Amino acid sequence: MKDVTVIGCGYVADLYMRSLTAHPEIRVLGAHDRDAARQAAFCAHWGLTPLPDPAAACEALPAEGLVLNLTNPKSHETIIRGCLRARRHVWSEKPLVTDMETAQSLHDLARSRGRQLASAPSSVLSQSAQGLGRALRMGVGGTPRLIYAELDDGFIPQAPYRDWKSESGAPWPAEDEFATGCTLEHAGYWLSWLIAHLGPVRRVVSAAAEVVPDKPGLRHAAPDFSVAALFFESGPVARLTCSIAAPHDHRLRIFGDEGVIEVGRAWDNHAPVRFRRRMRLRRRLLESPLARDVSLKGTHQPKPRRRGAARMDFALGPAEMLDAIAAGRESRLAGDYALHLTEVTLAIQEGAVRDMKTRCEPMEPMPWAT
């Protein structure tokens, strides 16, 4: 068995627990939350041992266990730093932290303690993401030139989010979501795929704004819209858009010399990967109306029972990280990759022109996706 403990028993923690039911090799040794009532409800629902504090969550683990930091973003630095100082590996919910100086400090601390630090999202390890990577490596679509990545979630401030509850009864953390902003919360879903398959970003040119002011409970919320041009070292340029104002659109399109590779749903681990060949018809240039499925065939991952809108396995990252720890290698989602993903995401949120100071190598594909 591989062991984890949970710190933070809020809304997202239930999504992790539901996902962990599809990973019987992972055992949850206990959970802590600073809200005693929330901790009690969560532990009762999932049959977990309540832990009195973050230190106990570290002490309960063997040396090669993993702390799942599922607290709100304001608490990330304190929790991660404490766990690393206790010599525990840490998986953190996104965003890892909200400033680059802290991210670098935690990265360095993990290295100095011989521990691994990684953060969500996990979807880059999904069958869909790995299938996209395989298609690109095989040259489907020819050389990629331009990418359009959409992460628009609808006009969320008018949504009935006060009625959104997790399995154990936690409310959707509206104030945290609005204060952190949709870029830090969501950009990583497509950004992680692009960095994994195309390699590091060289420059970010972005603009960000709060287009829906006066969100409930907040005077000054984070930007609820951002658009960024990402210039990759390997050549392609991507346009990534995040918002909680425009109608729901989670498409990824990669425009290459021979046509377009498409993935229609960012939050579906098994979304099909399709290719439309470019063609000339008389005096017209167009993409074929008939798309070819270039997805990975077969079932390579478990499918947790779906609850809510997302078809994602939140445990893919922790599972891969535990495998890496057991094998004595660095997790695909830790180290330089996690730091670079954080730097690019923060640069997008800032709304400026930034040359990246960090870099990472393209991600090694999962063994079943080679």
Side-chain angles (χ1 to χ4, degrees):
M1 295 293 289
K2 295 167 182 174
D3 296 322
V4 302
T5 55
V6 173
I7 301 178
C9 302
Y11 190 91
V12 76
D14 282 321
L15 299 177
Y16 275 83
M17 290 302 299
R18 174 56 55 197
S19 294
L20 284 166
T21 62
H23 296 266
E25 76 282 5
I26 300 177
R27 177 173 55 186
V28 184
L29 298 182
H32 167 72
D33 194 280
R34 64 187 181 186
D35 183 325
R38 175 89 292 272
Q39 175 179 282
F42 181 80
C43 290
H45 182 82
W46 295 105
L48 299 179
T49 300
L51 299 171
D53 51 41
C58 292
E59 292 167 4
L61 285 170
E64 302 311 304
L66 181 64
V67 175
L68 304 184
N69 170 39
L70 310 182
T71 60
N72 63 42
K74 292 179 181 178
S75 300
H76 281 191
E77 178 186 1
T78 299
I79 296 299
I80 293 170
R81 194 176 298 278
C83 293
L84 291 175
R85 285 175 173 166
R87 296 190 180 277
R88 291 297 179 262
H89 303 283
V90 183
W91 169 270
S92 181
E93 240 308 283
K94 55 182 169 47
L96 181 65
V97 287
T98 56
D99 71 276
M100 196 56 198
E101 182 179 355
T102 301
Q104 184 69 60
S105 172
L106 294 175
H107 171 83
D108 295 343
L109 178 60
R111 286 283 168 87
S112 69
R113 298 297 173 99
R115 301 292 89 181
Q116 296 200 38
L117 172 61
S119 74
S122 293
S123 62
V124 66
L125 302 176
S126 69
Q127 188 159 328
S128 183
Q130 295 291 305
L132 174 67
R134 183 174 183 271
L136 289 171
R137 291 192 302 275
M138 292 177 64
V140 174
T143 301
R145 303 294 184 179
L146 179 66
I147 297 108
Y148 280 5
E150 323 290 351
L151 284 165
D152 294 305
D153 274 346
F155 208 96
I156 296 298
Q158 292 181 357
Y161 57 79
R162 291 183 180 86
D163 299 329
W164 297 347
K165 302 284 186 182
S166 69
E167 283 193 61
S168 66
W172 186 69
E175 187 171 330
D176 282 340
E177 291 279 335
F178 294 148
T180 304
C182 59
T183 300
L184 294 189
E185 293 285 359
H186 296 159
Y189 284 111
W190 283 141
L191 185 56
S192 62
W193 294 35
L194 298 177
I195 292 173
H197 303 322
L198 301 177
V201 175
R202 175 177 56 84
R203 171 175 287 186
V204 173
V205 180
S206 70
E210 185 183 7
V211 298
V212 185
D214 303 321
K215 296 179 182 66
L218 290 175
R219 288 187 177 181
H220 302 289
D224 49 27
F225 162 77
S226 68
V227 60
L230 310 173
F231 297 83
F232 286 83
E233 284 187 9
S234 58
V237 176
R239 190 267 292 144
L240 173 63
T241 303
C242 299
S243 87
I244 53 169
H248 191 280
D249 186 350
H250 281 184
R251 290 177 298 163
L252 176 70
R253 291 172 291 169
I254 300 177
F255 308 112
D257 289 343
E258 298 171 9
V260 183
I261 303 176
E262 306 170 337
V263 181
R265 299 186 298 275
W267 293 357
D268 182 349
N269 283 177
H270 297 267
V273 181
R274 296 190 173 104
F275 171 61
R276 297 182 187 274
R277 183 171 295 280
R278 189 171 300 111
M279 54 195 298
R280 288 181 290 182
L281 184 63
R282 296 191 177 95
R283 298 175 63 184
R284 296 178 60 196
L285 180 69
L286 69 160
E287 280 72 44
S288 172
L290 300 176
R292 176 162 63 95
D293 192 332
V294 294
S295 307
L296 279 170
K297 302 303 183 286
T299 301
H300 300 279
Q301 295 174 325
K303 290 184 179 182
R305 181 172 64 85
R306 180 181 176 186
R307 190 178 191 277
R311 300 177 180 179
M312 290 190 288
D313 183 346
F314 287 75
L316 288 179
E320 191 276 341
M321 197 172 179
L322 285 163
D323 287 343
I325 293 166
R329 63 170 174 82
E330 186 168 76
S331 167
R332 290 170 172 82
L333 302 184
D336 291 343
Y337 168 87
L339 190 64
H340 187 63
L341 177 63
T342 300
E343 183 185 21
V344 177
T345 305
L346 289 172
I348 296 172
Q349 172 105 325
E350 289 171 8
V353 179
R354 292 282 186 273
D355 289 325
M356 298 297 95
K357 297 179 180 179
T358 65
R359 67 182 313 281
C360 64
E361 296 300 320
M363 184 179 292
E364 179 183 352
M366 296 295 281
W368 40 262
T370 56

